[in-house]
C-alpha cells in the first residue's frame, strides 16, 4: 500500500476489559486490569488514552490508587509517576473514583502488540477494587483504552 504521511491516523480502536472479574489490591505491586492485543503496521506509533474504569474504595484508611500503561511489557507511562489524583483520599463510606492517563509508544514493528493498563496501590493496608462492576451498555465502568495508530 502507499505509505501514509507522517502523523496520519491509521486506525482508532477502543478496548474494554473483559468479563465481570474484579481485581482487589491491598499490597504493593503491578496488577494488569486490562490486557488486549492490537495489530499495527510497520513503523507506526500508538497514542494511548487509558481509563481505570470504576474503582471501589471503601477502606477507612488512606487510599492512593494509580494506573500506568505498558505495551509488550515495556512501560509507556509508569504508574508510580502519574498524577495521583486520589492521593490521601480517605472515606468513611463507599467511593467510586476513576483515573486516567495517556502516552505514546516509540516506533513499533508490524504485527500484534499487547497493551495493558497496569494498576496498583501506593498505601499498603488499604483495599481498593479495580473493575469493580460489570459494564453498563456503553462499557464505561471497566478499564478502557482508546488507541490511535499514527504513521511516522
Amino acid at each position: 500500500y502507499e505509505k501514509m504521511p507522517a502523523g496520519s491516523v491509521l486506525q482508532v480502536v477502543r478496548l474494554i476489559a473483559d468479563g465481570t472479574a474484579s481485581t482487589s489490591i491491598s499490597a504493593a505491586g503491578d496488577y494488569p486490569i486490562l490486557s488486549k492485543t492490537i495489530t499495527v503496521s510497520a513503523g507506526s506509533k500508538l497514542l494511548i488514552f487509558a481509563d481505570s474504569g470504576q474503582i471501589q474504595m471503601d477502606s477507612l484508611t488512606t487510599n492512593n490508587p494509580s494506573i500506568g500503561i505498558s505495551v509488550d511489557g515495556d512501560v509507556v507511562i509508569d504508574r508510580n509517576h502519574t498524577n495521583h489524583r486520589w492521593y490521601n483520599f480517605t472515606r468513611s463510606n463507599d467511593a467510586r473514583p476513576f483515573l486516567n492517563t495517556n502516552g505514546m509508544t516509540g516506533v513499533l514493528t508490524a504485527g500484534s502488540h499487547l497493551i495493558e493498563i497496569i494498576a496498583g496501590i501506593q498505601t499498603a493496608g488499604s483495599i481498593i477494587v479495580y473493575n469493580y462492576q460489570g459494564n453498563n451498555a456503553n462499557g464505561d465502568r471497566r478499564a478502557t483504552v482508546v488507541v490511535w495508530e499514527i504513521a511516522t
Side-chain angles (χ1 to χ4, degrees):
Y1 72 91
E2 185 176 326
K3 182 169 172 61
M4 297 293 289
S8 297
V9 175
L10 303 177
Q11 66 173 320
V12 179
V13 179
R14 182 177 184 213
L15 307 170
I16 302 170
D18 290 329
T20 57
S22 60
T23 302
S24 182
I25 299 174
S26 61
D30 292 332
Y31 302 85
I33 58 170
L34 177 145
S35 297
K36 295 283 187 172
T37 301
I38 184 173
T39 301
V40 302
S41 302
S44 61
K45 293 182 177 186
L46 299 178
L47 174 61
I48 304 169
F49 174 85
D51 185 286
S52 65
Q54 194 174 77
I55 304 169
Q56 181 201 29
M57 300 191 314
D58 63 359
S59 172
L60 297 180
T61 59
T62 302
N63 292 283
N64 191 3
S66 59
I67 63 169
I69 303 168
S70 73
V71 175
D72 297 332
D74 295 326
V75 173
V76 175
I77 295 294
D78 186 336
R79 71 171 189 80
N80 292 306
H81 296 107
T82 57
N83 180 10
H84 299 291
R85 182 173 304 156
W86 298 103
Y87 175 75
N88 202 24
F89 185 73
T90 304
R91 295 279 298 185
S92 60
N93 56 5
D94 198 14
R96 309 275 175 89
F98 290 75
L99 295 172
N100 54 60
T101 192
N102 59 73
M104 183 174 271
T105 67
V107 175
L108 298 172
T109 59
S112 295
H113 296 275
L114 178 66
I115 297 173
E116 293 185 299
I117 297 179
I118 305 298
I121 189 170
Q122 302 299 99
T123 308
S126 296
I127 299 173
I128 59 177
V129 182
Y130 290 90
N131 289 326
Y132 174 62
Q133 291 184 331
N135 275 326
N136 63 9
N138 297 318
D140 59 2
R141 289 186 183 151
R142 302 188 60 73
T144 303
V145 294
V146 177
V147 181
W148 290 263
E149 181 183 1
I150 309 293
T152 58

